[in-house]
Amino acid sequence: MLPALIAINKIALASMTSPILTLAQARHLQLAAQGLLTTPRRTATQLALRQCIAQMQLLQIDTISVVARSPYLVLFSRLGAYPQAWLDAALAEGHLFETWAHEACFAPTDDLLLHRSYNQHIRRHWGLLNGQAVQARQRVQLDGLLAHIEASGPVKSSHFARQDGKTGNGWWDRKDEKRWLEALFASGELMVQRRDSFQRVYDLAHRVHPRLTDAVLPEAAAVHTDFIAKSILALGITQARWVHDYFRQKPRLKDADLDALVAQGIVQRVEVQGWTVPGYVHHANADLLQQATADQLRASHTTLLSPFDPLVWDRERASAMFGFDYRIECYTPEEKRVYGYFVLPILHKGALIGRLDAKAHRALGVFEVKALYLEEGVKLSDAALQAVASAIQRCADWHGTKQVQVVRAVPDGLLGRLLGALAGA
C-alpha cells in the first residue's frame, strides 16, 4: 500500500469514535479480510493467486491429499477453480518461499527477510531446535551435505534413499539425510527451491534467493511487532488473545500489549456486542470497518474450507466468531473421531453451517461424501441447500471427480434433499 494511502487510512481510523459492531458485522469484516466474503467474480489468474496469499500473509502446508492438499484447497475456496500448478510455479519462480511460521507455510517473498530474522533470533519451533541440536553433533556431515549440494545442485531427500531396504551408514543413510536436510532448512542454510510432486527440492539459500548474500536482516524485536500488526491485518478483526497464534508467536497477548500499536494509529480498538474484551482492526482495514458498521458488507460466498484454513485453524477463535467448534481429526485415532478423517467446514453466506467428510477418488472420477453434518439448529432452505450442493460439485469438478456420491447426511431427511440438489447442480 502506498504511504499516502496508509496515512489517509490512519487518519480515517483515528477520527472515528470507537465503533460498535454486531457479531455478524464482525464476521463479515473477518471474512472480507480473509477473501471469503463474496463469490469470485472473475476467472482466477496467477497474479490473483499471489495476491490471495499476500492477503492472508501465510498459506499453511500440509501433505494430506485425501481431498486436495491443504494449500491448494485454501486457494480454491477463495479463487474458485484454478490449475494447481500455479502454486508450484509461484514457488519455483521466487514469488513465494517456505518458512516456519504458523506451521510450515508458504509466504510472500517480500517478507523473506522478516521471517529469516524472526526464525533465527526468536522462534523456538521444534524444527529449529532439532536443527541446532543436529548441527552441534554432526557439523562435519552437514558440511559434507552442503558441499555435495553446492557441487551437484538441488536435492530431494529421496535422492539418498537406499534401494535394498537396509539401513546404511553415514550421511547417505536416508533417515539421517532427511533429518540433516530439515536441520539445514531450519537454520536457513538451505531453502526450498521448488516442489516435485509436492516433495521438497532443497538448494543453498543464496542460490534460491541471491539477495540473501548481502542482506541485512531487520531487528528481530521490530519483526515481532510487525508480525503482530500483520496478524491483525490478516484477521480483519480479532481479540488480543487470538493474535499470537497466526504467526505462532509467544506469549499470548493481552490488551495492554497492543497499547503502543493503538497509540501509533496502526490499530484501533473497537467494541463487538457480546464480547467482554475489545476487538482490534488494522488501519489498512479502515474502509472495511466503516462498511461493516454501516451493514454494507454482504456475505454471498458458499464454499468448502480446508481443515487448515486460517479462518478455522484457531479453535477458540472459530468458536467465538462463528459458534463453530472445530477440531482437526486426521491426527486423532480413528476410534476417537467424531466426524471423520478429513472434514471440510462448510461456509455459507457468512456462517459455518456444517462439515463434510469427503474423499476424492481421482482414478475413479468419484468425489465421495462419506457424511455431511449440519450444525445443530441449522435448517437449510431449498435455495441454501442448492448453494451447498453447487459448492460440493464445483470442488468435485476441480478435482476431476465429477461424479459425487453421498453416503450419509445428518440430520435425518437431509440425504434425499441433498441428492436432489446435486442432481440440479
Side-chain angles (χ1 to χ4, degrees), residues 17-22 25 270-273 289 292-293:
T17 58
S18 181
I20 301 176
L21 294 88
T22 66
Q25 290 170 338
V270 299
E271 180 180 342
V272 178
Q273 293 176 7
L289 176 60
T293 55

Side-chain angles (χ1 to χ4, degrees), residues 1-16 19 29 33 57 225-226 228-238 258 260-270 279-291:
M1 186 177 292
L2 296 175
L5 186 54
I6 292 176
I8 291 172
N9 276 339
K10 283 185 177 180
I11 293 171
L13 207 56
S15 65
M16 297 172 60
L29 175 52
Q57 307 286 341
T225 301
D226 197 4
I228 289 172
K230 282 178 172 288
S231 300
I232 297 171
L233 174 62
L235 288 169
I237 185 169
T238 179
L258 297 177
L261 289 178
V262 172
Q264 295 167 32
I266 296 174
V267 301
Q268 180 181 359
R269 286 192 174 102
V270 299
Y280 295 86
V281 176
H282 195 280
H283 67 75
N285 284 328
D287 290 343
L288 285 180
L289 176 60
Q290 289 180 314
Q291 293 174 57

Side-chain angles (χ1 to χ4, degrees), residues 26 31 49 52 58 66 85 160 192 215 227 288-289 312 323 330 334 339 351 405 412-413 421:
L31 289 167
L49 180 145
C52 182
L58 298 171
V66 64
F160 303 95
V192 178
F227 279 170
L288 285 180
L289 176 60
V312 296
C330 47
E334 184 174 0
Y339 295 104
Q405 295 181 352
D412 292 339

Side-chain angles (χ1 to χ4, degrees), residues 28-321:
H28 289 173
L29 175 52
Q30 185 161 102
L31 289 167
Q34 279 285 312
L36 287 168
L37 185 68
T38 58
T39 303
R41 296 181 179 180
R42 296 183 177 88
T43 302
T45 65
Q46 289 174 287
L47 176 60
L49 180 145
R50 298 196 298 269
Q51 291 173 334
C52 182
I53 297 170
Q55 182 176 5
M56 292 184 290
Q57 307 286 341
L58 298 171
L59 179 60
Q60 185 174 337
I61 301 169
D62 192 87
T63 60
I64 296 173
S65 59
V66 64
V67 177
R69 289 188 174 93
S70 181
Y72 301 107
L73 186 54
V74 168
L75 293 170
F76 170 78
S77 300
R78 290 156 174 79
L79 299 172
Y82 71 96
Q84 294 187 16
W86 284 359
L87 177 59
D88 305 330
L91 175 65
E93 293 167 4
H95 300 293
L96 307 175
F97 71 102
E98 290 196 28
T99 184
W100 289 115
H102 181 81
E103 289 289 347
C105 291
F106 297 113
T109 299
D110 286 349
D111 291 343
L112 173 60
L113 299 185
L114 299 179
H115 284 273
R116 199 166 180 84
S117 172
Y118 198 79
N119 287 348
Q120 289 186 6
H121 298 111
I122 294 182
R123 191 174 300 284
R124 290 295 179 264
H125 191 279
W126 65 265
L128 184 57
L129 290 175
N130 181 60
Q132 292 171 339
V134 169
Q135 289 187 45
R137 296 193 308 269
Q138 298 176 323
R139 190 66 241 182
V140 172
Q141 292 93 332
L142 293 175
D143 287 341
L145 179 53
L146 289 171
H148 171 77
I149 294 171
E150 183 173 18
S152 302
V155 300
K156 298 185 287 188
S157 62
S158 60
H159 288 170
F160 303 95
R162 295 178 61 89
Q163 300 302 315
D164 57 8
K166 298 179 181 179
T167 300
N169 298 314
W171 65 279
W172 293 101
D173 182 282
R174 183 178 188 275
K175 181 177 180 181
D176 286 343
E177 187 274 339
K178 181 175 177 61
R179 180 160 42 90
W180 292 333
L181 284 173
E182 288 296 314
L184 292 167
F185 173 71
S187 70
E189 293 170 88
L190 293 181
M191 292 188 69
V192 178
Q193 181 203 61
R194 66 184 190 278
R195 281 181 176 255
D196 288 345
S197 300
F198 214 67
Q199 186 178 8
R200 283 171 168 169
V201 179
Y202 299 89
D203 200 358
L204 303 179
H206 71 269
R207 290 204 302 222
V208 177
H209 290 284
R211 68 185 175 123
L212 288 176
T213 303
D214 300 316
V216 177
L217 298 183
E219 198 270 324
V223 176
H224 182 79
T225 301
D226 197 4
F227 279 170
I228 289 172
K230 282 178 172 288
S231 300
I232 297 171
L233 174 62
L235 288 169
I237 185 169
T238 179
Q239 293 181 11
R241 62 183 287 108
W242 304 333
V243 172
H244 79 292
D245 178 73
Y246 206 83
F247 283 84
R248 287 285 165 86
Q249 297 174 273
K250 293 182 179 180
R252 182 186 290 266
L253 301 182
K254 299 179 180 179
D255 292 303
D257 296 318
L258 297 177
D259 285 346
L261 289 178
V262 172
Q264 295 167 32
I266 296 174
V267 301
Q268 180 181 359
R269 286 192 174 102
V270 299
E271 180 180 342
V272 178
Q273 293 176 7
W275 290 6
T276 58
V277 296
Y280 295 86
V281 176
H282 195 280
H283 67 75
N285 284 328
D287 290 343
L288 285 180
L289 176 60
Q290 289 180 314
Q291 293 174 57
T293 55
D295 267 336
Q296 294 173 348
L297 295 180
R298 302 295 183 186
S300 63
H301 197 28
T302 302
T303 193
L304 307 179
L305 302 179
S306 163
F308 304 98
D309 195 289
L311 192 74
V312 296
W313 70 27
D314 184 329
R315 187 176 182 180
E316 179 188 317
R317 169 164 52 84
S319 178
M321 289 292 300

